[in-house]
Amino acid sequence: MTITTRTDAQSSGLHTADGHDLIRVQGARVNNLKDVSVEIPKRRLTVFTGVSGSGKSSLVFGTIAAESQRMINETYSAFVQGFMPTLSRPEVDVLEGLTTAIIVDQERMGANPRSTVGTATDANAMLRILFSRLGNPHIGSPNAYSFNIPTVRASGAITVERGNKTKAEKATFNRLGGMCPRCEGMGNVSDFDLTALYDDSKSLSGGALTIPGYSMDGWYGRIFSGAGFNMDKPINKFTKKELHDLLYKEPTKIKVEGINLTYEGIIPKIQKSMLSKDVDSLQPHIRAFVDRAITFATCPDCGGTRLSQEALSSKIKGKNIADVCTMQITDLADWVRGLDEPSVAPLLAGLQHLLDSFAEIGLGYLSLDRPSGTLSGGESQRTKMIRHLGSSLTDVTYVFDEPTIGLHPHDIERMNALLLQLRDKGNTVLVVEHKPESIAIADHIVDLGPGAGTGGGTVCFEGTVDGLRGSDTITGRHLDDRAQLKESVRSASGALEIRGASTNNLKNVDVDIPLGVLCVLTGVAGSGKSSLIHGSVAKREGVVVIDQTGIRGSRRSNPATYTGLLEPIRKAFAKTNGVKPALFSSNSEGACPTCNGAGVIYTDLGVMATVETTCEECDGKRFQAAVLEFTLGGKNIAEVLAMSVAEAEEFFEDGDARTPSAHKILDRLADVGLGYLTLGQPLTTLSGGERQRLKLAAQMADKGDVYILDEPTTGLHLADVENLLGLLDRLVDSGKSVIVIEHHQAVMAHADWIIDLGPGAGHDGGNIVFVGSPADLVAGRATLTGEHLAAYVGAS
C-alpha cells in the first residue's frame, strides 16, 4: 500500500515541498491595521495600493518584512545577535510561508563623506583590482588605489629562526594605501577661524570657548582643569605651549576626580565629532557653527581626487582611477568595453554588467565619485537595486517602497522591466506603489483602505488589475483617471530671468520662468531640473524651496511641535485651567519624570542595540499623571496629541475647545493631504512625501512670493493628486508664483507653462528642449515628455 502511494506521488510529479506557494498573514494589527488577513502568492509581483496612511507600509514593512528579518536574526549565534538590533515580534496571529526579505527603501544613503556611488556599490572595488593588474606603472595591490586606506610604514627588530638559532634582524614594513596624506582622503582641507572658536579676552571659566556644547559647568570644565589649564587666566595670556595644548594636543590620559579620562586638543576633537560627518546631517546650530568657523578648500595636493600621487600616476590607456571615476557612468561603460585584456576577462565582464545596470535603471548620468549623501531618495533606492540585479539568489522576497519616485514616465517603463526581471528569476516581489503604470504590471493586487489612519487598515480588494478596475474601491475608481488639458491658461505677471546657467550639466541655459502662474519643470531623471532651480533660483529673495530632505528634528519632534501648533494648544489648556503653559509640553515641566517625556525608555546595552520599552509610569502618554487631570473640551493633552489632524480640526473649530489659531494650522495640514496624521506622531516615522507636505503646510504661512516644490506628488494616491492640484491653484490664485519639479502627467496637464529639459540625462541633457503651454507640448510631441503626456491625455 505504501509503495503504491509513493509511486502515485512520483508519477503525478507533485511533491509536498511544492505546496508552499503562499505567504499567509492572519490577524495583523501593526499600527492602524484592523485584524488584516491576506494570502500573497510567491514568485509573483504583488502591488499594494491605497491612499497615503491606509496601512500599506504597516502590512508590508511593519509586518511581513519585519518578521522575516527578526527570524533571520534569530538564526545567528548569541554572540553575533549581541551586535544586531533587537527586533520585537509584530502584532500578528499567524505568519506562514515567509522567505528571506530584502528591503529596498527610499531612505537616503548614509551621509558619510567617505562614501561615494562607487564605494556604495562594487564598482570601486572592481576598478581597484583592474588598476592593480593593468595599471602602468604597477604600484601595488588594490589597496594602493583606495582613498580610504592610508599608507603605513614601520621599522624595527624582528626575530628570525634559522635551524636551532634565533637572531634579531632589522626589518622595514611598508603598506601602500591610496589615501592622499594631506586631506586624508576627503578631497578638501579645512582651515579654522580661531576667533570663532574662542574669545581670547576671556578665561576658560569665564566662557571663552564659543563652540556648541563646550560648557564649563559640566565635564568639559573638569577635563580642562584636570589637564592642567589655569581656568581663570585669559587665553591671550596663555604661553605658546599652553595655546598649542589647548588647540592641538594629541589624546593624553589624565585623571579627573579619580576617574581615568582622555584629554584631546579642541581642533582634533572638532574634526572627529563634527567634520567626520556630512555637514547637512548636523543639527542646525552645529551646522551654523561649522559654516562660521571652518572654511573648506579643494586639497592642493590631490586636486580633490582624494588619492595619493602614486595612485594618480598609475594609468590604463592614459587614464588614472580618478579620471575614470569622474566620467559619466555611460561613458565609463564604453571605456571598459574598449579594454581587451584576456588576463582579466571575467573581471571586465562583471564590471561591464554592473555599469550597464546603472544605465538600465536610469542612473547612467551619475559618476562613481558622486558622494552618496547627495543622492535623492529615488536615486538611493535605485542604487541599492543595482546590488540585487546581479545577485544569484532566488526565492527571495524583495520589498520596494515606491520605486518610481523621481522617475520620468520614460524611465518608469525601464523600472517595470527590472521588477519583472527580478520576479522571473523566481523571486517574490512586493511593491508599495501609487503610479497606475506600475500597478498595471502586477500579477496580484492588495488594496488597503478605505481611508487613512483610523479610517483605513482594512483590505478593500484582493485580486487582479482587471478586478481592481471593476471594484468600487477608491483606487479602482481612480485607476483610469486621466487629467484633461486646461481649456485656458493663466497669463504671467512677470518673469524670473535666468541667463547663462551652467551648474552641473547645464549648458549655458537662458530661460524666463513666468511668475503668477503654475509652472512645471519636467525632463528625465538627471536632465538638469534640480540644477536649474537650486543653482539659479533657490537663493533669490522671496523664494521658498520645499523639498523632500529630512526634517531636522529629534524623535521628540512631531507635527504639532514642527508646525507651531502645540503653542496655541498649550495656551488654550493653560487659560482654561489657570496653570502655566509649560505643563502641557512633554519636553518641559509637564514631562513624565521617569521617561523625561519621551513616552519610552531607552536602555543602552553596550555592544547591543539600544532597546526601547514603553514607560510604565505614564504608559507611553509622555506626561505626568497630574497634568492629565487638566482638560480642554473634555480631553486631556495626551488625548489631543493622539487625535488625527482631521479629528483635531473638528475639535478646535467650535465649542469649549474653540481655538482659531490652532484651527488655522490644522486647516493647512488638511489642505496638503495630511488629515490622517496624528498630532503626536514622531517625525522620524514620516515618509519623504509626508515630510514635504508637512513643510509645505508650515511654510504656507511664510512671506515668500515664489514657492518651489520638488515632486509634491511623492507618496500621494491618485485620488489625493486632485486635492494637491486644488491646493496649488489656491496658492497661485492668492498671488503666489508656484514652480513644481514634477514627473506626474496630471500635474503637467494642469500647468499653465511647461519648461522641459533634456533631451537625455547627464551630459546628454542640460538643454531646454521645450518652453510653452501643455497643449503646445502635446501638439508638437517633439520631446519624450510630449510623447508621454500626449498618450496620457489621450490626444489623437
Side-chain angles (χ1 to χ4, degrees):
M1 192 76 175
T2 310
I3 296 167
T4 313
T5 309
R6 190 181 302 155
T7 310
D8 289 346
Q10 286 170 344
S11 62
S12 66
L14 293 173
H15 193 288
T16 313
D18 296 329
H20 303 284
D21 53 0
L22 291 173
I23 295 174
R24 291 186 183 85
V25 181
Q26 287 179 18
R29 297 177 299 280
V30 173
N31 297 332
N32 67 333
L33 295 178
K34 295 170 182 165
D35 225 21
V36 165
S37 297
V38 290
E39 290 190 342
I40 300 161
K42 287 187 183 176
R43 294 173 286 281
R44 296 291 181 272
L45 174 61
T46 301
V47 174
F48 294 79
T49 60
V51 296
S52 294
S54 59
K56 303 182 298 297
S57 294
S58 299
L59 177 58
V60 179
F61 293 95
T63 306
I64 297 170
E67 178 64 356
S68 173
Q69 289 203 313
R70 186 185 75 84
M71 293 177 81
I72 289 167
N73 286 4
E74 286 188 352
T75 64
Y76 297 119
S77 67
F79 174 75
V80 173
Q81 284 186 50
F83 296 94
M84 304 173 87
T86 307
L87 304 170
S88 56
R89 188 180 188 277
E91 279 194 70
V92 60
D93 295 335
V94 178
L95 263 175
E96 289 179 344
L98 290 180
T99 66
T100 305
I102 295 175
I103 298 173
V104 190
D105 58 18
Q106 295 167 34
E107 282 299 311
R108 290 183 177 230
M109 297 174 89
N112 186 327
R114 295 190 178 281
S115 175
T116 64
V117 170
T119 60
T121 57
D122 288 333
N124 256 53
M126 294 166 94
L127 277 173
R128 294 201 304 269
I129 297 169
L130 186 69
F131 271 84
S132 71
R133 301 281 181 84
L134 303 181
N136 187 23
H138 175 76
I139 60 166
S141 71
N143 288 345
Y145 298 91
S146 171
F147 56 75
N148 285 330
I149 297 177
T151 295
V152 177
R153 292 187 180 89
S155 59
I158 60 170
T159 305
V160 180
E161 290 187 15
R162 287 200 181 96
N164 296 325
K165 297 178 182 175
T166 57
K167 183 182 173 188
E169 289 184 6
K170 192 175 179 186
T172 304
F173 167 77
N174 188 7
R175 185 190 73 186
L176 185 66
M179 179 187 286
C180 167
R182 172 85 176 265
C183 65
E184 297 187 356
M186 304 294 274
N188 55 45
V189 286
S190 51
D191 198 11
F192 287 79
D193 176 3
L194 298 182
T195 60
L197 302 183
Y198 58 81
D199 179 348
D200 68 356
S201 65
K202 294 180 180 175
S203 64
L204 288 172
S205 59
L209 298 183
T210 53
I211 307 161
Y214 278 63
S215 163
M216 293 300 115
D217 299 334
W219 272 103
Y220 274 116
R222 300 182 205 177
I223 289 170
F224 283 118
S225 175
F229 291 102
N230 183 337
M231 301 298 288
D232 300 314
K233 182 178 178 180
I235 288 182
N236 57 16
K237 297 282 198 304
F238 273 29
T239 63
K240 275 187 178 178
K241 183 177 185 314
E242 285 173 332
L243 188 59
H244 180 272
D245 286 352
L246 177 69
L247 296 176
Y248 302 106
K249 193 173 180 73
E250 293 291 313
T252 308
K253 301 280 185 207
I254 59 170
K255 203 159 196 148
V256 178
E257 298 171 17
I259 299 168
N260 291 322
L261 293 170
T262 300
Y263 171 75
E264 186 175 15
I266 291 170
I267 285 178
K269 189 93 172 162
I270 291 174
Q271 284 172 324
K272 286 176 187 170
S273 63
M274 299 179 189
L275 303 190
S276 63
K277 298 173 186 165
D278 182 60
V279 176
D280 288 335
S281 69
L282 299 172
Q283 291 175 290
H285 67 289
I286 295 177
R287 199 165 66 254
F289 164 74
V290 169
D291 290 342
R292 186 175 69 246
I294 299 149
T295 55
F296 295 95
T298 301
C299 173
D301 286 9
C302 67
T305 62
R306 306 168 175 234
L307 291 158
S308 64
Q309 291 308 307
E310 291 91 342
L312 295 174
S313 70
S314 181
K315 298 183 178 181
I316 301 174
K317 284 197 171 179
K319 292 190 181 294
N320 61 35
I321 193 167
D323 295 332
V324 298
C325 285
T326 55
M327 292 166 78
Q328 186 169 307
I329 287 173
T330 48
D331 295 342
L332 177 55
D334 291 339
W335 182 80
V336 171
R337 216 171 268 119
L339 297 177
D340 183 19
E341 293 289 341
S343 62
V344 287
L347 177 64
L348 286 173
L351 182 57
Q352 187 66 61
H353 180 269
L354 179 66
L355 297 173
D356 287 342
S357 297
F358 273 99
E360 272 178 43
I361 213 162
L363 293 177
Y365 59 89
L366 296 177
S367 60
L368 295 181
D369 65 351
R370 168 94 172 256
S372 56
T374 65
L375 299 179
S376 69
E379 286 170 335
S380 297
Q381 188 176 28
R382 300 202 296 284
T383 302
K384 291 174 199 169
M385 263 189 93
I386 285 167
R387 290 202 287 251
H388 305 302
L389 288 173
S391 169
S392 305
L393 291 174
T394 59
D395 256 333
V396 169
T397 300
Y398 284 99
V399 188
F400 291 94
D401 187 9
E402 286 192 71
T404 58
I405 279 180
L407 288 183
H408 187 272
H410 172 69
D411 297 318
I412 289 176
E413 293 175 5
R414 293 196 289 192
M415 174 59 76
N416 284 349
L418 291 168
L419 293 174
L420 294 172
Q421 187 184 321
L422 279 175
R423 177 204 66 185
D424 293 345
K425 280 172 65 178
N427 297 306
T428 306
V429 182
L430 309 181
V431 183
V432 173
E433 191 51 89
H434 293 293
K435 292 272 174 70
E437 301 98 316
S438 292
I439 295 172
I441 64 164
D443 300 309
H444 188 71
I445 301 274
V446 178
D447 188 31
L448 285 106
T454 52
T458 60
V459 175
C460 300
F461 173 82
E462 262 193 281
T464 63
V465 179
D466 289 336
L468 178 66
R469 278 199 177 90
S471 71
D472 195 33
T473 68
I474 294 178
T475 308
R477 289 198 298 273
H478 288 274
L479 190 60
D480 293 317
D481 278 5
R482 295 295 180 265
Q484 298 300 308
L485 294 172
K486 289 201 288 197
E487 290 180 14
S488 61
V489 294
R490 304 177 184 93
S491 298
S493 58
L496 274 176
E497 293 185 1
I498 297 173
R499 296 291 177 265
S502 53
T503 307
N504 297 332
N505 66 331
L506 294 177
K507 294 168 182 159
N508 220 23
V509 165
D510 295 340
V511 67
D512 291 340
I513 298 178
L515 297 176
V517 298
L518 175 58
C519 176
V520 173
L521 258 74
T522 64
V524 296
S527 59
K529 303 181 298 297
S530 297
S531 299
L532 183 66
I533 290 300
H534 294 293
S536 304
V537 182
K539 294 181 176 64
R540 300 192 185 192
E541 196 177 340
V543 173
V544 178
V545 180
I546 304 161
D547 58 18
Q548 293 182 29
T549 52
I551 292 170
R552 300 191 200 290
S554 67
R555 49 196 171 199
R556 289 176 172 274
S557 305
N558 53 47
T561 57
Y562 182 77
T563 57
L565 172 65
L566 193 60
E567 197 61 31
I569 291 176
R570 283 166 49 197
K571 286 178 178 170
F573 265 97
K575 188 177 177 185
T576 304
N577 294 285
V579 291
K580 290 192 295 185
L583 280 176
F584 302 99
S585 168
S586 61
N587 295 329
S588 188
E589 290 180 31
C592 163
T594 307
C595 63
N596 293 324
V600 290
I601 292 173
Y602 300 99
T603 310
D604 187 2
L605 299 176
V607 297
M608 292 175 70
T610 301
V611 173
E612 290 180 24
T613 47
T614 302
C615 174
E616 291 180 8
E617 179 78 19
C618 66
D619 198 23
K621 290 182 177 139
R622 307 170 68 171
F623 292 91
Q624 297 173 25
V627 173
L628 299 181
E629 289 175 15
F630 299 117
T631 60
L632 175 70
K635 302 269 187 191
N636 64 37
I637 184 69
E639 289 169 329
V640 166
L641 289 175
M643 287 180 177
S644 70
V645 167
E647 291 168 341
E649 193 179 14
E650 205 175 299
F651 179 73
F652 288 108
E653 189 170 16
D654 47 35
D656 295 342
R658 185 173 181 273
T659 313
S661 52
H663 191 262
K664 193 174 174 184
I665 297 171
L666 288 161
D667 264 350
R668 293 206 302 267
L669 283 167
D671 256 357
V672 297
L674 293 178
Y676 61 90
L677 280 190
T678 54
L679 305 186
Q681 183 175 339
L683 293 186
T684 49
T685 63
L686 301 188
S687 69
E690 286 169 337
R691 284 196 290 260
Q692 187 182 17
R693 298 200 294 284
L694 185 62
K695 284 193 225 177
L696 176 58
Q699 294 177 335
M700 272 163 65
D702 287 2
K703 299 289 183 280
D705 301 314
V706 179
Y707 284 89
I708 296 172
L709 287 87
D710 187 1
E711 287 193 69
T713 59
T714 296
L716 278 187
H717 186 265
L718 300 158
D720 296 326
V721 172
E722 291 175 25
N723 299 335
L724 177 76
L725 293 174
L727 171 67
L728 297 180
D729 276 340
R730 288 198 297 281
L731 277 173
V732 174
D733 293 339
S734 69
K736 310 286 187 189
S737 301
V738 179
I739 302 167
V740 182
I741 300 172
E742 189 54 85
H743 294 294
H744 202 298
Q745 295 101 317
V747 181
M748 295 180 204
H750 200 75
D752 298 306
W753 196 254
I754 285 185
I755 298 171
D756 194 17
L757 281 98
H763 60 52
D764 298 325
N767 292 307
I768 304 287
V769 291
F770 174 84
V771 173
S773 69
D776 292 340
L777 179 63
V778 167
R781 300 189 198 190
T783 69
L784 278 172
T785 307
E787 287 173 22
H788 284 279
L789 185 57
Y792 178 83
V793 299
S796 54

